[in-house]
Amino acid sequence: QEQVVESGGGLVQPGGSLRLSCAASGFTLDRYAIGWFRQGPGKGREGVAFISSSDGSIYYRDSVKGRFTISRDIAENTVYLQMNSLKPEDTAVYYCATTLWPGIGVPVEWDEFDVWGQGTQVTVSS
């Protein structure tokens, strides 16, 4: 059974860093795309960063460009989201999601992903 599990959330001060992990089981990352989404208090779900193992395509939403980095470790079957220069507006539950994606490019819409993790809370506050 395909499954993804997030970890690494927590409380951090503005300007700080966190690294989220998305561990995949029941499948290998090759030919799959992984996306990080988040949902802040009173907000809708929004895509944050995406990576495709098929061709290495990466996409970031504008508000995290230059601060967040998505990467994958095929040997560990894990995708990471390094988050630097965190802001209070980054506070949210962060979800990892995956879908089979053997083609080019990377999916970025939530309804293109069919396996979701349980989420990990990230709180940016002084």
Side-chain angles (χ1 to χ4, degrees):
Q1 182 180 359
E2 299 168 347
Q3 189 176 13
V4 291
V5 178
E6 308 94 335
S7 62
L11 173 64
V12 64
Q13 293 185 340
S17 298
L18 281 175
R19 188 178 78 159
L20 304 183
S21 299
C22 173
S25 61
F27 67 102
T28 55
L29 284 176
D30 57 313
R31 300 204 313 147
Y32 279 76
I34 296 286
W36 284 100
F37 294 81
R38 67 186 181 187
Q39 187 162 14
K43 299 180 181 178
R45 177 170 34 187
E46 61 183 22
V48 176
F50 305 87
I51 187 168
S52 170
S53 292
S54 299
D55 65 357
S57 294
I58 290 176
Y59 176 84
Y60 299 100
R61 72 179 295 108
D62 287 345
S63 62
V64 307
K65 285 180 180 177
R67 300 189 298 123
F68 290 11
T69 302
I70 190 170
S71 63
R72 68 184 190 270
D73 185 328
I74 298 297
E76 294 294 326
N77 218 33
T78 299
V79 171
Y80 300 98
L81 184 67
Q82 178 67 43
M83 306 186 295
N84 299 327
S85 302
L86 282 162
K87 305 175 181 180
E89 52 262 44
D90 294 317
T91 295
V93 178
Y94 282 71
Y95 297 91
C96 172
T98 187
T99 188
L100 181 65
W101 193 262
I104 61 173
V106 62
V108 298
E109 300 297 333
W110 70 269
D111 57 359
E112 295 181 284
F113 292 82
D114 44 32
V115 178
W116 291 77
Q118 81 289 349
T120 185
Q121 176 71 47
V122 172
T123 302
V124 185
S125 175
S126 55

